[in-house]
Amino acid sequence: MPKWFASKYLVRLLIFSLLIGTIPVVTLGSLSFLRAKNSLQQKVNDSNMQLLQQTQVNVEQVLQLFENLMTQYITTPIIGQALQTPFSAKNFTFINELSSGLNKLQPFELGVQNVYLANLKYDWLLSNQGYVTLEDSGMKDLIQQYASADRGSFWKTMPPAPPASGGNAGGEVPQVAAPGVRLIKKLPINWSSSSGLIIGEIPGFKLEKMVANDAEERETVILDDQFQPLTQPFGRVLNSPGDLARVVEQIKQASDTPEGYLTMQDANHKTIGILFNQSQYNGWYYLSLISLSDITKDSRSIGWYTLYVSVGTFVLILLVAWIGSRRMYLPIHRVFSVAASDQAADERQSKDELQFIGEQIHKLRSSQTELLDQLSIHSKQLEAFFIRRLLHGEIRPNETRERWVQFAYDPTPGLFAVLTIQIDAFDRTRYCEQDMDLLMFAINNIASELIPAEHRLEPVMMVGSQVTICRGIGMTIPAFEEQVYAYAELVQSTVNQLLEIKISMGISRSYEDIDETSQAYKESLEALKYRVRFGELAILPFDNVLPDTRIVAAYPEWLEKELIDAVKMEERGKAKALLNEFIQKAIMDYPRYNDLQMVLTRLLIDLLREWQEARETASTLDPSGSSFQERLVQLRTAEEIEAWFYSDVIEPMMDSLHHKWETQNKKISERMLEMIHEEFASGLTLELCASRLNYHPNYIKTVFRKETGSNFSDYLSKYRLTVAKQWLVETDMKINEIAEKLQYQNSQNFIRYFRKMEDMTPGQYREKHR
């Protein structure tokens, strides 16, 4: 026996085995009890959260349906006419027509109590009860308060009624709920200043009916964004007047999170669980209150049963620990004898057997790891140095072939293109010039992650730039250029999202000989110079900005195009500034009067042509009665020319096109939405939509964002995500099949985006919703 216990490792092994037997006896009972309790509570919480979310969906469907009906009504021409009409007895027909429209906003299933239409300019109020002046309505102060709000559309809680003296039927929970809510929209819609309001009221009892309070151990309460109760508990869980106030206080303290779970003690010292979820639609809080004392009853019997099992397990492990420790030690003792055969006896006995063996193995592995790390570091450094020399044209063709073999690049012939990234500006960001190197290092890592290794060489950082040589094997030039552009968009959007900084990218021509990389690098840098024309967040293929590598025409077409775009978008300040810039440039570039007249005449003709192409009648006569060309010749100074162009041509053109563009922009956005909904499974791009609609991509990009409130790429990605969720639930398609159909490069990109948006993988989503 002393011989066995002379080994340090054997003693530790025996002690550890005994601890394995002791720890379960001490902890298994409590852990099992807690596990059972938490599991039951989690299942109840999950069930209650689903019911709470369903309640929220039911309530918000009613609210959104009412808001949609109201939005449709206020966009009708009669509302615009009403805002410009003072009411009198002569207008009874018009008043009846407005009242009929208000009545249609009160379908039975919505339970709308009343709808008010207020004209602040002419001081009248029309509701389902009839017409009255604002002064006589008793709501003048309230309406003026709503009109001064900084939001154009919002929900507001109606002032609470005085508390009932007798309480509810149970005599314990007070009447604390608000009498209802109001939806307020400023008129005209989307205008900065309002001359009217439309107010819809939904009574509190309608909200009460939509709240699922059918379980004895649970009840649901709705709070508005100011934590004022909109519905009241029924006394099943909350049994004292102060309980609801304490619940509200708990939610206020946790208001920085949109959803969660809290617990509190009521007046009777009973634990109450509070599930809450904040609505993204209007900021309301939906609460589910449950009594935890009823949940833990079944878990106690499990605790006693677990205790009996743990005692038996402890006795069994005591026997196994002694027998097993001796048998497990025998192989270790043999290995230790071999490893320490040349060591002194005192040194062997002073160390634990496994510690001694581990030290010997660690010495061998450390040597191997150091060698591999040094090789890997030097290889990466050499590869980056090779790429930099290649970009600068400092490497001979025969050396290029040697390095190609050294770095194990694919020898298959293919296409190349240089992608150069530069930061646009540090203004309005949290960075400064000193952060340039750190930011370029981060951008370099992002490019390495997003562009697959088989489609690029090693990305490198140059002075003020990040450069990636993209590669395509077995691809046509258009397909390769499209792929490079797609990678550029992906890197640009990712950098903007993660680093919150704007970058522009220059793309060289496609080429086949790797020795032409130096020229391609120069082309990408040259393309980046044209950010001055296209602005920030630009992706500039060299063939697009310099298609023939010739000097562009002297006539400032790009400036004229920006001016016409500003006129089309009704950006009056920008149009005036661009007009001034155009005239000053023309005067500087064309000192001869006749040449200057030709440039100004061309600008005039182009403006009139755009006016006519928009199917609007453009008068060819100046207000003085002369033709535009005759009037232009009569002008002598730059100030006269600029003032005449703006007041007699550009401003009338913007006024005339205003109505046309409103209708046209809506049609453009609707057509783009149709293409997204019909062709989401294809390689649909903004440029493809622009070519079909015969508009510039920048123009339809601006129109789409203005009409939908979302970027084209973001909307397309979210719609594909919606389709993916539908397929996951309704079909048996594999994850990689869904990713391929939805145009993802690989299933990992799809899974990464799905987890980011839904906080779960596609497989988990399928299991949860089936």
Side-chain angles (χ1 to χ4, degrees):
M1 184 66 67
K3 180 181 178 181
W4 284 103
F5 284 97
S7 170
K8 293 183 178 180
Y9 175 74
L10 178 59
V11 172
R12 293 176 182 175
L13 184 63
L14 181 59
I15 294 174
F16 177 73
S17 300
L18 292 175
L19 287 176
I20 292 178
T22 304
I23 291 174
V25 172
V26 176
T27 62
L28 184 59
S30 58
L31 291 178
S32 298
F33 175 75
L34 293 175
R35 178 66 177 174
K37 178 181 178 181
N38 293 337
S39 177
L40 290 173
Q41 183 172 336
Q42 184 62 40
K43 290 180 179 178
V44 173
N45 288 346
D46 292 343
S47 175
N48 288 336
M49 179 58 77
Q50 292 178 359
L51 292 174
L52 184 63
Q53 291 174 347
Q54 183 61 44
T55 299
Q56 178 181 346
V57 169
N58 294 338
V59 172
E60 292 185 356
Q61 281 179 346
V62 174
L63 299 181
Q64 291 176 350
L65 177 59
F66 178 50
E67 183 171 3
N68 292 337
L69 289 175
M70 184 179 289
T71 302
Q72 293 175 4
Y73 177 63
I74 64 179
T75 55
T76 58
I78 191 173
I79 294 300
Q81 182 180 355
L83 295 177
Q84 305 299 325
T85 303
F87 276 4
S88 66
K90 299 178 181 180
N91 307 61
F92 69 90
T93 302
F94 186 59
I95 294 175
N96 289 339
E97 188 175 353
L98 282 175
S99 298
S100 176
L102 294 180
N103 290 333
K104 291 179 181 179
L105 296 179
Q106 293 181 273
F108 175 76
E109 59 272 14
L110 294 184
V112 179
Q113 180 174 311
N114 203 348
V115 181
Y116 300 91
L117 179 62
N119 190 318
L120 303 177
K121 181 178 180 181
Y122 294 105
D123 194 36
W124 54 259
L125 179 69
L126 182 65
S127 67
N128 300 117
Q129 280 73 40
Y131 160 76
V132 70
T133 64
L134 285 179
E135 195 67 38
D136 297 334
S137 66
M139 297 179 64
K140 183 175 181 179
D141 294 340
L142 187 62
I143 289 175
Q144 290 179 347
Q145 178 185 350
Y146 292 158
S148 63
D150 56 355
R151 293 177 292 175
S153 176
F154 55 93
W155 287 92
K156 195 71 175 179
T157 304
M158 296 170 62
S165 60
N168 68 344
E172 291 178 310
V173 177
Q175 301 286 342
V176 295
V181 294
R182 291 191 177 111
L183 173 60
I184 299 98
K185 285 185 175 291
K186 295 183 180 180
L187 302 176
I189 190 170
N190 294 330
W191 281 41
S192 59
S193 61
S194 60
S195 60
L197 295 176
I198 186 168
I199 305 172
E201 293 183 349
I202 297 180
F205 66 83
K206 177 61 180 179
L207 297 178
E208 295 280 1
K209 290 181 179 179
M210 292 184 287
V211 173
N213 276 322
D214 54 348
E216 291 294 335
E217 74 284 356
R218 183 188 70 252
E219 55 190 9
T220 305
V221 176
I222 303 177
L223 307 178
D224 66 5
D225 56 349
Q226 301 299 321
F227 305 99
Q228 182 175 350
L230 300 178
T231 63
Q232 62 181 351
F234 290 94
R236 300 190 183 102
V237 178
L238 300 180
N239 298 315
S240 68
D243 288 344
L244 182 56
R246 285 193 290 272
V247 170
V248 172
E249 187 63 29
Q250 290 270 11
I251 299 300
K252 286 183 179 180
Q253 295 176 3
S255 59
D256 55 337
T257 57
E259 65 177 24
Y261 175 74
L262 305 170
T263 59
M264 61 164 282
Q265 298 288 331
D266 64 3
N268 298 324
H269 302 289
K270 292 183 179 180
T271 303
I272 296 176
I274 308 169
L275 281 168
F276 69 92
N277 190 20
Q278 186 179 17
S279 170
Q280 296 181 356
Y281 169 61
N282 53 15
W284 290 2
Y285 288 86
Y286 293 79
L287 315 181
S288 179
L289 309 172
I290 53 177
S291 176
L292 299 182
S293 59
D294 297 331
I295 300 176
T296 57
K297 290 180 180 179
D298 296 335
S299 60
R300 296 171 186 166
S301 59
I302 299 176
W304 286 107
Y305 177 78
T306 304
L307 177 62
Y308 300 144
V309 173
S310 299
V311 172
T313 304
F314 174 74
V315 175
L316 179 62
I317 290 179
L318 284 176
L319 298 175
V320 174
W322 170 246
I323 298 173
S325 298
R326 290 197 303 172
R327 292 189 177 183
M328 286 188 292
Y329 175 71
L330 289 176
I332 296 173
H333 180 69
R334 297 191 187 102
V335 175
F336 174 73
S337 299
V338 174
S341 58
D342 57 347
Q343 300 288 333
D346 294 339
E347 183 178 356
R348 288 188 302 174
Q349 292 179 357
S350 63
K351 295 183 179 180
D352 178 89
E353 289 89 334
L354 286 184
Q355 179 185 359
F356 185 84
I357 296 171
E359 289 176 355
Q360 301 300 317
I361 296 176
H362 179 70
K363 291 179 181 179
L364 296 175
R365 296 196 62 180
S366 297
S367 300
Q368 181 184 12
T369 302
E370 288 178 2
L371 291 175
L372 292 176
D373 290 343
Q374 291 295 327
L375 289 175
S376 176
I377 293 172
H378 289 309
S379 178
K380 285 294 182 183
Q381 292 175 344
L382 288 173
E383 185 176 1
F385 182 65
F386 162 67
I387 297 297
R388 292 190 182 94
R389 292 180 62 202
L390 193 63
L391 292 170
H392 286 302
E394 300 173 352
I395 190 168
R396 297 187 300 274
N398 58 346
E399 184 180 354
T400 302
R401 289 187 288 272
E402 293 175 3
R403 299 301 183 189
W404 203 264
V405 175
Q406 175 184 351
F407 299 122
Y409 291 141
D410 191 341
T412 306
L415 296 171
F416 299 92
V418 176
L419 178 63
T420 301
I421 301 173
Q422 291 181 355
I423 297 174
D424 288 331
F426 292 96
D427 297 340
R428 300 182 302 278
T429 69
R430 62 177 186 269
Y431 307 106
C432 58
E433 292 287 348
Q434 288 74 12
D435 300 323
M436 171 71 78
D437 293 338
L438 182 61
L439 288 172
M440 297 310 301
F441 179 76
I443 293 172
N444 194 71
N445 290 338
I446 291 174
S448 301
E449 288 289 332
L450 297 181
I451 304 178
E454 62 271 16
H455 292 160
R456 60 167 173 80
L457 303 187
E458 181 68 19
V460 296
M461 293 184 296
M462 308 294 281
V463 178
S465 305
Q466 189 280 325
V467 184
T468 304
I469 303 175
C470 298
R471 189 185 188 200
I473 299 177
M475 302 177 66
T476 62
I477 291 179
F480 175 65
E481 291 178 347
E482 182 178 349
Q483 182 187 74
V484 174
Y485 195 92
Y487 286 143
E489 285 185 323
L490 180 60
V491 173
Q492 186 184 68
S493 62
T494 304
V495 169
N496 192 19
Q497 179 181 4
L498 297 180
L499 302 181
E500 297 180 355
I501 194 167
K502 298 177 181 179
I503 61 172
S504 291
M505 317 179 81
I507 304 175
S508 71
R509 290 192 180 104
S510 301
Y511 59 97
E512 296 181 359
D513 189 354
I514 188 63
D515 293 319
E516 299 178 9
T517 299
S518 177
Q519 179 62 30
Y521 175 52
K522 295 177 181 178
E523 291 177 355
S524 65
L525 291 174
E526 184 68 21
L528 276 170
K529 294 179 181 179
Y530 284 81
R531 278 181 293 181
V532 67
R533 178 185 302 175
F534 296 97
E536 298 176 340
L537 288 174
I539 299 177
L540 305 169
F542 183 80
D543 278 334
N544 289 357
V545 296
L546 291 169
D548 300 321
T549 65
R550 295 196 300 266
I551 299 175
V552 296
Y555 181 82
E557 293 182 3
W558 61 272
L559 193 55
E560 178 193 88
K561 184 182 180 305
E562 287 189 8
L563 174 60
I564 293 175
D565 287 344
V567 172
K568 290 180 178 180
M569 298 304 296
E570 294 185 69
E571 297 175 344
R572 297 178 183 268
K574 183 178 180 181
K576 197 168 187 177
L578 289 171
L579 175 63
N580 176 267
E581 183 180 354
F582 184 97
I583 293 175
Q584 295 301 323
K585 180 173 178 59
I587 293 174
M588 182 180 298
D589 294 345
Y590 297 91
R592 295 172 53 187
Y593 178 79
N594 291 337
D595 294 340
L596 177 61
Q597 283 295 322
M598 291 178 62
V599 172
L600 296 177
T601 302
R602 177 174 174 179
L603 173 62
L604 176 62
I605 293 173
D606 290 344
L607 286 172
L608 295 177
R609 183 177 64 249
E610 288 291 338
W611 199 346
Q612 291 173 346
E613 286 178 354
R615 298 180 182 176
E616 294 290 328
T617 302
S619 173
T620 59
L621 295 179
D622 186 79
S624 63
S626 304
S627 68
F628 281 125
Q629 290 82 354
E630 292 173 351
R631 179 59 179 157
L632 180 59
V633 173
Q634 297 172 2
L635 302 174
R636 290 293 177 263
T637 66
E639 291 77 13
E640 289 179 350
I641 294 172
E642 180 179 347
W644 178 80
F645 258 104
Y646 187 80
S647 61
D648 292 356
V649 180
I650 291 179
E651 269 198 332
M653 181 177 175
M654 286 192 288
D655 294 337
S656 177
L657 294 179
H658 175 77
H659 177 71
K660 174 66 179 178
W661 292 141
E662 281 188 342
T663 304
Q664 178 173 302
N665 290 346
K666 185 175 182 180
K667 290 181 179 179
I668 289 174
S669 63
E670 289 176 349
R671 180 65 184 120
M672 293 177 69
L673 289 174
E674 289 177 2
M675 285 189 280
I676 291 175
H677 295 166
E678 294 172 1
E679 302 177 33
F680 63 89
S682 66
L684 188 64
T685 63
L686 184 67
E687 288 71 22
L688 181 59
C689 294
S691 65
R692 292 183 182 177
L693 297 174
N694 199 23
Y695 287 97
H696 193 277
N698 290 339
Y699 177 71
I700 68 170
K701 178 181 180 181
T702 303
V703 170
F704 189 86
R705 186 190 296 116
K706 181 178 180 181
E707 293 295 324
T708 65
S710 175
N711 289 329
F712 175 87
S713 58
D714 292 341
Y715 187 93
L716 177 59
S717 298
K718 290 179 181 178
Y719 186 79
R720 284 175 173 169
L721 179 65
T722 301
V723 174
K725 292 192 289 186
Q726 181 179 355
W727 286 351
L728 287 169
V729 175
E730 299 177 359
T731 70
D732 294 324
M733 294 171 61
K734 296 181 179 179
I735 304 299
N736 57 350
E737 293 177 351
I738 295 177
E740 182 178 357
K741 286 181 177 292
L742 295 180
Q743 299 299 307
Y744 284 89
Q745 295 292 333
N746 52 63
S747 59
Q748 292 302 319
N749 289 342
F750 168 65
I751 294 172
R752 190 181 298 112
Y753 179 77
F754 194 100
R755 184 189 291 114
K756 175 183 176 183
M757 300 302 294
E758 298 295 326
D759 201 24
M760 64 180 70
T761 64
Q764 293 171 341
Y765 184 91
R766 171 173 280 171
E767 293 177 359
K768 180 177 180 180
H769 292 84
R770 279 197 168 185

